[in-house]
Amino acid sequence: MSLRPRLLLPAALALMAVPAAAAPAPGAVLEGRVHSGHRALGGEAVTLHLAGTTPGQATTLGRTVADRHGRFRLRYASPAGRGPLLYVTAGPGRRVRLAASLGAPPAPRRIVVDELTTVAAGFAFAQFTAGGRIGGPPPGPQNAALMAANLADVRTGRASDVVVAAPNGRQTSTLRKLRSLANAIAGCARAARGCVPLYRLTATPEGRRPAGTLQAVANVARYPWQNVRALFALSSARPAPYHGALRTTRRLSDWLLPLRFVGDGVTIDGPGNFAIDASGRVYVANNYAFQPSDFTPTCGSTLLPVFGPDGRYVEGTPWRDGGLSGAGFGITFDPAGRLWVGNFGFASPAPGCPEDEQPPHDTVSVFSSGGTALSATGYRGAPDDQPALVNWPQGTVAHPSGDAVWVANCNDGRLVRMPTDAPNTATAYDVGLAQAFDIAIDRQGLIYATGLGNDRLAIVRPDGTPIPGSPLQTTDAGLDRPMGIAADSAGNMWISNSARMTLPCPDVSPRPRGTPSVSLVAAGGRPVTTGAAGFTGGGLTIPWGIAVDGNDNVWVANFAGQRISQFCGVPARGCRPGSTTGDPISPDGTGYFFDGLVRLTGLQVDPSGNLWVANNWKRVPDAAANPGGYQVVVYPGAAGPVRTPLIGPPVPLLAR
């Protein structure tokens, strides 16, 4: 079958996702109350803003003053369409004391502005806030508003149903952290003198103090490792208006506010990795057919979940057909907007999943951008009358040229080049890898692939020929059971060294444990980390997935320890004082610990700066016939936004 490329570029998709604003609609009214906890704040200046297209840029749509009961009424001309983004601030001048995200018009008619809505806005718009004002190119801030609504409900001023109910709520610490941060800014909301300790604790690492509570909260999201215990002490000062907050700093490593999502609750079982389209929708490679019990055997998933940027399933999800069969780590968009999924063939071993239902391990599924399956039973890389070239596929990555998708064969270690217009006329290359796992591509179009089974990194040209010196090995770049690989914006390659993992594809090769680390190889193939180890620390346990954000900082998903890790990139920015490239940002002992995590594999960054993480396996999966986890986890505002889909090195959404 021939697949003709549709020349629909990511930038065009983004413009389609957020249409231009229509003419303003006159006469809109916004009513509300300004509160600190249950206490009315009278006399506050209330301003309605239209977010701009760059951080720190916004337009005033209306202004009024709250009465002594904190009530206000404001008339304004509402911009129409889905593109505009509205938010409210309360306080004197640009020294914002409280804020609330209203999202795209039509805005709610009645709102409450308080500390909870301020924390929600500060986190969701963390990467788009400068000088206490919000702005950025679409779809970043527009999608961020949807995530703000998952933290606080501006109609009531209370924590949202999403953060209050399972799989969040009492099951994780996020709701308690949200309330603690609301308590931490309450003193500033009520009196100017109460802002002094808050601004001191929420200054940037360079010492710049925030312009109001909105910027203070945004700084907490951007530097969640900073002044953790001191902020807790501030949040615990009396009076604390929000009950149900944190009571102790035990296991408190940071101030991130992760949220868990389960879709329809009967689909996700072992999410492995993600691809994100230009509008911010998130597509999940799902390992197993859903089973609610750990001990019920399961076969490979034949479904592909799709989340909107708000963490909810989109209409028509999950996608079906196309030969989906226990997808693994490989999922990618090509430049024409088609989605490619590597079918590793996850399933309980027989007699769990019956022998005649064991999924194949030799196909790649392809879908149109609208979800139509373009592969009947999956592409094998070869005609049906010949042996499959795809062989237990893991990393599956589109080349920026649009002419091919590259697949890492875990079983035979070869790299498979599948032409996008004729996937069953593929070519397989032996490039010196055992258990080839993941692939990334630099600005020159060179292909980099990790060899989990023999500590190698292959670097090949688009025609499959290795560059001189390929494959690199431990003594070249500190490689140790390398798994995920990701490019930064300059095309440098970051590699997660698990130091212990091996995969049944189909054989397992046990080996003594090493030291988990991250390696760096400069664009073109020159090792930066040398010797027997890469960069260490940051709470690394078993590094698996790896991603580079729009600030060029590096994020790592750990398969153990319920934490993610963060490292300084090239160049080092937004790091701890005195740090340089490769130094850990997350705490050494704990990483960014979260009690709502299990065993993690993939992670990706979206255009709003949200970090999406795959809760892939249960924490104690050894005796389970169904080891898969059930959630995807989102860290609002934690990372530098990138343009999606990710094809080649990341492109920052925001100018630096």
Side-chain angles (χ1 to χ4, degrees):
M1 176 180 178
S2 175
L3 298 182
R4 295 183 179 179
R6 292 187 310 105
L7 298 178
L8 190 58
L9 300 177
L13 280 169
L15 292 174
M16 291 175 62
V18 184
V29 174
L30 179 67
E31 298 177 345
R33 293 170 291 153
V34 183
H35 275 198
S36 173
H38 299 293
R39 170 182 168 182
L41 295 181
E44 296 291 334
V46 178
T47 307
L48 176 65
H49 306 267
L50 173 66
T53 56
T54 59
Q57 177 192 30
T59 301
T60 299
L61 296 182
R63 183 179 288 115
T64 188
V65 176
D67 67 17
R68 64 189 181 90
H69 301 293
R71 295 176 301 203
F72 65 88
R73 190 173 190 271
L74 187 152
R75 187 176 294 276
Y76 66 101
S78 175
R82 289 191 300 157
L85 171 66
L86 306 179
Y87 69 98
V88 168
T89 59
R94 298 188 71 175
R95 287 287 179 179
V96 177
R97 290 190 180 175
L98 295 170
S101 166
L102 306 187
R109 182 179 173 85
R110 292 180 176 85
I111 67 170
V112 175
V113 185
D114 63 10
E115 290 91 352
L116 287 172
T117 64
T118 305
V119 173
F123 265 75
F125 299 115
Q127 305 293 328
F128 303 103
T129 301
R133 294 189 173 224
I134 297 170
Q142 289 76 12
N143 289 352
L146 303 175
M147 200 57 67
N150 288 329
L151 292 170
D153 186 343
V154 296
R155 297 168 299 179
T156 64
R158 299 174 181 171
S160 78
D161 291 342
V162 170
V163 72
V164 167
N168 300 295
R170 295 183 179 181
Q171 296 183 7
T172 80
S173 58
T174 295
L175 177 59
R176 297 190 297 276
K177 291 171 75 173
L178 172 69
R179 290 168 173 162
S180 287
L181 287 172
N183 287 333
I185 67 173
C188 183
R190 296 182 177 191
R193 64 179 179 275
C195 297
V196 175
L198 176 69
Y199 293 167
R200 175 176 55 82
L201 294 175
T202 58
T204 67
E206 297 79 22
R208 294 193 303 274
R209 298 201 173 189
T213 57
L214 179 64
Q215 189 66 59
V217 174
N219 287 354
V220 173
R222 293 172 68 105
Y223 315 108
W225 46 269
Q226 187 171 247
N227 297 322
V228 173
R229 293 181 180 274
L231 277 170
F232 173 79
L234 182 63
S235 75
S236 303
R238 293 290 184 263
Y242 297 95
H243 302 296
L246 291 172
R247 296 182 178 180
T248 175
T249 58
R250 181 177 178 271
R251 309 205 82 172
L252 179 63
S253 63
D254 58 80
W255 283 105
L256 294 168
L257 295 177
L259 295 169
R260 303 197 301 183
F261 297 96
V262 296
D264 58 10
V266 294
T267 303
I268 294 178
D269 195 324
N273 205 357
F274 310 104
I276 305 175
D277 70 13
S279 67
R281 291 186 174 187
V282 179
Y283 302 72
V284 184
N286 195 45
N287 293 175
Y288 302 106
F290 177 83
Q291 291 289 353
S293 167
D294 297 7
F295 303 103
T296 302
T298 184
C299 296
S301 175
T302 59
L303 305 175
L304 195 150
V306 185
F307 286 88
D310 59 355
R312 294 166 175 81
Y313 267 6
V314 302
E315 185 178 355
T317 195
W319 288 4
R320 304 169 185 269
D321 304 320
L324 288 168
S325 171
F329 196 71
I331 183 168
T332 186
F333 280 100
D334 69 20
R338 295 169 300 218
L339 184 70
W340 299 68
V341 184
N343 294 308
F344 182 80
F346 276 101
S348 301
C353 175
E355 189 68 39
D356 60 352
E357 295 181 29
Q358 286 284 326
H361 312 281
D362 58 1
T363 63
V364 174
S365 297
V366 187
F367 294 86
S368 72
S369 59
T372 300
L374 303 178
S375 52
T377 57
Y379 291 111
R380 302 163 62 250
D384 290 342
D385 60 351
Q386 297 180 22
L389 292 184
V390 175
N391 195 330
W392 298 73
Q394 286 286 16
T396 305
V397 176
H399 197 277
S401 65
D403 63 354
V405 167
W406 287 78
V407 179
N409 277 352
C410 187
N411 186 19
D412 62 20
R414 296 192 294 177
L415 302 185
V416 178
R417 181 187 182 277
M418 303 185 79
T420 51
D421 60 350
N424 274 344
T425 62
T427 306
Y429 301 97
D430 184 347
V431 294
L433 301 180
Q435 290 191 332
F437 184 76
D438 198 16
I439 302 174
I441 299 171
D442 71 10
R443 290 197 174 280
Q444 303 173 43
L446 295 176
I447 296 95
Y448 297 67
T450 56
L452 172 63
N454 63 346
D455 307 326
R456 299 289 188 269
L457 177 70
I459 310 172
V460 302
R461 301 180 180 90
D463 64 3
T465 58
I467 70 166
S470 175
L472 302 178
Q473 53 190 310
T474 298
T475 52
D476 298 318
L479 301 169
D480 189 356
R481 294 276 171 158
M483 300 196 74
I485 181 170
D488 66 18
S489 64
N492 304 304
M493 292 293 163
W494 293 84
I495 302 133
S496 58
N497 294 306
S498 71
R500 64 174 292 185
M501 286 300 299
T502 187
L503 295 176
C505 56
D507 298 323
V508 177
S509 304
R511 201 178 68 178
R513 301 179 187 181
T515 301
S517 65
V518 173
S519 290
L520 174 60
V521 173
R526 178 181 60 83
V528 176
T529 47
T530 59
F535 301 121
T536 59
L540 292 176
T541 57
I542 306 177
W544 192 300
I546 190 167
V548 181
D549 69 14
N551 299 323
D552 274 326
N553 285 329
V554 181
W555 297 85
V556 182
N558 288 285
F559 196 63
Q562 297 178 273
R563 80 277 302 270
I564 58 175
S565 301
Q566 184 187 16
F567 289 81
C568 293
V570 182
R573 59 166 66 89
C575 303
R576 294 173 182 263
S579 297
T580 188
T581 294
D583 286 345
I585 300 175
S586 51
D588 278 345
T590 61
Y592 294 141
F593 173 83
F594 175 45
D595 53 6
L597 297 177
V598 288
R599 293 182 178 270
L600 311 179
T601 51
L603 80 169
Q604 298 292 340
V605 181
D606 74 11
S608 298
N610 302 318
L611 188 69
W612 292 72
V613 183
N615 254 356
N616 177 251
W617 263 28
K618 298 178 177 70
R619 290 178 59 198
V620 186
D622 297 341
N626 170 32
Y630 297 122
Q631 309 99 15
V632 300
V633 184
V634 181
Y635 288 75
V642 299
R643 296 192 181 276
T644 52
L646 179 65
I647 304 173
V651 177
L653 185 77
L654 301 173
R656 295 197 295 258

